[in-house]
Amino acid sequence: MDTVSPELPEPATLAVDCGGGGIKASVLDAAGTMRAHPVRAVTPYPLPPQRLLDTIRALAEQLPAADRATVGMPGMIRHGVVVSTPHYVTRAGPRTRALPELVDAWTGLDFQEALTGTLGMPVLLLNDAEVHGAGVIAGAGLELVVTLGTGLGNALFDGSRLAPHLELSRGPARWGLTYDEYIGEHERLRLGDAMWSRRVRQVVDSLRPVFLWDRLYLGGGNSRRITAPTLDRLGDEVVIVPNSAGIVGGVRAWELGGISPSRHAGQ
């Protein structure tokens, strides 16, 4: 008589979205549905690695148990190692002075393994825009994700495969300003939504011939502030997506090609 092996339970995922101004987390089931309302903490500064580890652990302790974790953070992340991070090396957050001791502490750090040890579960560490993108891409053709928040984030996908990260935020935009400086939250507050939205359109127009995407997704907390006249001029292949994708993408990120999650510290 044939026996049927019991199905293994589908994993619950702790999803953590680390931004320049806030860090939020929730636990998702296999379908990407939240098992609990997200919890949030203000990003503390100055922010050495251990302080971020402690903050993430404190958020996780407020949520149901999980089997694995996805953490998105700003900056250049390669195979779980921090190559550079723009905000977390500063004295008091975005647009403040970088501290040499924090640059040294973050640069070259295998933060994915540090998270694994802190949380006691397998961890996938990606750039925050990459996690955001995992939650919204269709998985067909070349898809670019641009997030608008404290600065500009980006992620590129080719048929559901995550491409190597390019830190567009540090590239020159106009007038000697980087994309972070040109389109970030500081400039939105200074200009107002209407003029800032025109800058968004200029950025989209400047990136279009570089990527020749099949679809562009604009997300992040400020995507909802793009004015209606600008939305009408962005193009049919440009889609506005909710900021909640930064959490929901925590499940789908494990299904992407081109990633390497950590193993459990005890395995």
Side-chain angles (χ1 to χ4, degrees):
M1 178 177 167
D2 293 336
T3 59
V4 177
S5 299
E7 293 185 2
L8 294 174
E10 295 179 322
T13 304
L14 169 68
V16 185
D17 185 9
C18 302
I23 301 169
K24 56 182 179 291
S26 188
V27 171
L28 314 172
D29 64 19
T33 302
M34 293 186 191
R35 291 186 171 180
H37 290 294
V39 293
R40 187 182 188 278
V42 174
T43 304
Y45 291 100
L47 188 57
Q50 187 59 52
R51 192 174 189 187
L52 182 56
L53 290 171
D54 293 342
T55 301
I56 292 172
R57 177 172 53 197
L59 290 174
E61 289 172 349
Q62 301 174 48
L63 294 166
D67 305 294
R68 63 187 187 184
T70 303
V71 178
M73 64 175 283
M76 176 75 77
I77 312 296
R78 290 182 184 151
H79 309 294
V81 175
V82 179
V83 178
S84 66
T85 184
H87 310 310
Y88 297 169
V89 299
T90 61
R91 180 182 61 82
R95 301 182 67 85
T96 64
R97 181 172 61 91
L99 300 178
E101 61 270 26
L102 289 181
V103 174
D104 290 343
W106 278 108
T107 303
L109 175 65
D110 191 338
F111 197 55
Q112 182 167 270
E113 283 303 313
L115 285 162
T116 299
T118 295
L119 298 174
M121 66 181 78
V123 174
L124 178 61
L125 176 69
L126 295 171
N127 172 273
D128 52 345
E130 294 173 343
V131 180
H132 195 104
V136 300
I137 61 169
L142 191 73
E143 300 174 281
L144 178 66
V145 177
V146 170
T147 57
L148 304 169
T150 303
L152 178 145
N154 64 276
L156 185 65
F157 301 84
D158 185 10
S160 289
R161 186 170 185 85
L162 178 62
H165 186 65
L166 303 174
E167 192 67 8
L168 293 180
S169 65
R170 312 307 297 163
R174 299 183 75 180
W175 309 314
L177 300 176
T178 66
Y179 280 105
D180 259 357
E181 295 165 335
Y182 184 69
I183 206 70
E185 172 69 354
H186 181 273
E187 284 297 275
R188 187 193 69 79
L189 292 173
R190 185 180 73 86
L191 295 170
D193 286 349
M195 291 190 65
W196 174 82
S197 294
R198 293 175 198 162
R199 287 196 177 186
V200 172
R201 184 186 173 194
Q202 291 170 348
V203 168
V204 170
D205 289 344
S206 71
L207 294 179
R208 183 178 278 111
V210 176
F211 291 95
L212 295 176
W213 53 68
D214 292 299
R215 184 162 292 181
L216 168 66
Y217 301 92
L218 295 179
N222 281 344
S223 63
R224 62 187 173 86
R225 298 185 181 276
I226 301 173
T227 60
T230 295
L231 288 176
D232 291 339
R233 293 176 173 85
L234 286 178
D236 293 338
E237 87 287 7
V238 180
V239 180
I240 306 297
V241 294
N243 194 36
S244 59
I247 292 290
V248 176
V251 172
R252 291 188 66 194
W254 288 77
E255 303 167 6
L256 298 173
I259 61 168
S260 52
S262 67
R263 296 181 178 179
H264 192 288
Q267 290 181 339

